[in-house]
Amino acid sequence: MTSLSELPIRDDLRGRSPYGAPQRPVPVALNVNENTHPIPEDVASDIVARVAAAVGGVNRYPDREFTDLREAFARYLGHGLTAEQIWAANGSNEVLQHILQAFGGPGRTLLGFAPTYSMYPLLAAGTGTAYVAGTRDADYELSPETAAEQIRALDPDIVILCSPNNPTGTPLDLATVEAAYDAARGIVVVDEAYAEFLPDGTPSALTLLPGRPRLLISRTMSKAFAFAGARVGYLAADPAVNDALRLVRLPYHLSAITQAAALGALAHSDEMLATVGEIRVQRDRLVTELAALGYAPHRSGSNFVLFGGVADPHATFEALAERGILVRDVGIPHHLRVTAGTEQETTAFLEALAALGRPDATAGELSTADDAPERSEPAPIDSDL
């Protein structure tokens, strides 16, 4: 068989590894930050009915401008947004790809702050955009001063801020977004894939959109909406940004079936988001009980917890997998990441981890000694933001 190295692929893609999270048939999968709660039966029935109706017209191309869906997203997000300010695609990864296709490319740079979502450098590579990994403050925080200083020094064409950050779970203060925007000359993207898991009343970067035409806010239905398999991401920005994205999107990129399913989910947003409170409870429980077990969990505004104090992450990952529990080794020394699942799933994880015994060293020793960015070829963090 022909090997990849024998094909005439682009030189800048040689030696790279494709994205792919570990997939194993285990009873408790807590490795890719999914909402592990099923969709309510009545909501699922309505979505199926809408999809069935859409199938009756699949001999025709779908609405290229996905007008109804953009209007539904605008209603869901609020903040006075209109359909002209909304974009959508097949998962927020495709939204981000559109952004890089339109505003990145050869000779241009994307700045992220490591450790962060490992798809950012992969998306940059796919679009010929140079990726620059900035640094964070202690405990993976990102202050306005740290962000602005690096943006001014590196002068990137695109800045991406993950809020809350994946894989650390760290919330991002709006002051940091404002400072980043003021320091940047180009596009600033705030990736709010996990925004619904923040405490009620936490302001979104959506509040900063007025008067900031270079600010883009990315969201997804994969997490809080428990809609990962439907592949729907979306964006709020100045209408001119959407005009730029139309230049690079494929024709009819959102199928009629995808549009119908997303509209069905949005029509039942209260029911779809009903599990968010329970997930927050399990996330906070993880923080408390991981600390009690001798580990060092980091604060999280998302649906997962990154915890340090793991003497051998790979060995612990495999030991948990043997017990039917799948978590994530994200490539940060002495750390693992676990998704907050149902109460039963969270209990199964904590009991399995406790059965392995306490860490070989103190949590403080292992969690701070190697607080370094992800490895140069990082373990992929997640299947979609």
Side-chain angles (χ1 to χ4, degrees), residues 52-359:
V55 168
V58 293
N59 58 309
R60 301 288 188 179
Y61 285 114
D63 175 9
R64 185 176 59 236
E65 293 301 312
F66 44 98
T67 306
D68 290 344
L69 184 56
R70 286 190 293 119
E71 290 175 349
F73 276 131
R75 288 192 297 271
Y76 168 69
L77 290 176
H79 294 84
L81 293 168
T82 65
E84 289 70 29
Q85 295 174 272
I86 304 296
W87 188 252
N90 296 283
S92 61
N93 284 328
E94 187 176 52
V95 171
L96 297 175
Q97 183 181 55
H98 286 166
I99 294 168
L100 287 168
Q101 286 175 312
F103 300 104
R108 296 193 174 195
T109 57
L110 167 67
L111 171 64
F113 295 90
T116 193
Y117 184 39
S118 66
M119 271 304 297
Y120 298 155
L122 293 178
L123 288 166
T127 58
T129 308
Y131 181 77
V132 180
T135 58
R136 292 177 172 269
D137 300 308
D139 296 321
Y140 308 118
E141 302 289 337
L142 185 61
S143 69
E145 297 76 16
T146 296
E149 180 181 2
Q150 293 180 73
I151 291 169
R152 285 192 293 265
L154 297 168
D155 192 29
D157 297 277
I158 306 171
V159 176
I160 191 159
L161 304 166
C162 195
S163 175
N165 185 52
N166 181 6
T168 65
T170 316
L172 188 70
D173 193 272
L174 290 190
T176 300
V177 178
E178 292 180 282
Y181 187 90
D182 291 343
R185 61 172 172 80
I187 296 296
V188 176
V189 182
V190 182
D191 192 341
E192 290 193 337
Y194 300 93
E196 285 93 347
F197 297 107
L198 288 164
D200 290 335
T202 302
S204 161
L206 292 167
T207 61
L208 302 178
L209 279 175
R212 294 182 174 89
R214 295 179 288 107
L215 182 63
L216 287 58
I217 315 300
S218 175
R219 291 284 190 101
T220 183
M221 297 187 77
S222 292
K223 307 304 179 184
F225 269 87
F227 224 48
R231 313 305 304 125
V232 184
Y234 55 107
L235 172 81
D238 188 275
V241 169
N242 291 343
D243 289 337
L245 302 185
R246 287 184 176 92
L247 298 174
V248 298
R249 59 98 178 264
L250 294 174
Y252 310 104
H253 71 287
L254 276 177
S255 75
I257 292 173
T258 298
Q259 293 182 45
L263 284 166
L266 287 165
H268 298 274
S269 59
D270 288 346
E271 291 174 82
M272 294 289 281
L273 298 175
T275 58
V276 166
E278 182 180 342
I279 292 169
R280 289 173 181 160
V281 168
Q282 297 307 314
R283 175 199 64 204
D284 295 343
R285 176 190 172 198
L286 282 168
V287 171
T288 300
E289 297 197 26
L290 282 167
L293 289 174
Y295 295 92
H298 295 272
R299 79 178 185 115
S300 175
S302 61
N303 69 333
F304 58 84
V305 174
L306 178 76
F307 61 100
V310 186
D312 187 336
H314 178 71
T316 302
F317 169 88
E318 291 294 345
L320 289 170
E322 290 177 2
R323 290 165 170 77
I325 313 291
L326 201 59
V327 296
R328 195 64 181 272
D329 179 356
V330 296
I332 301 176
H334 302 305
H335 285 71
L336 288 171
R337 191 196 68 193
V338 59
T339 305
T342 63
E343 181 179 2
Q344 294 75 19
E345 290 170 329
T346 303
T347 297
F349 160 71
L350 289 167
E351 290 179 349
L353 187 65
L356 298 180
R358 297 180 64 84

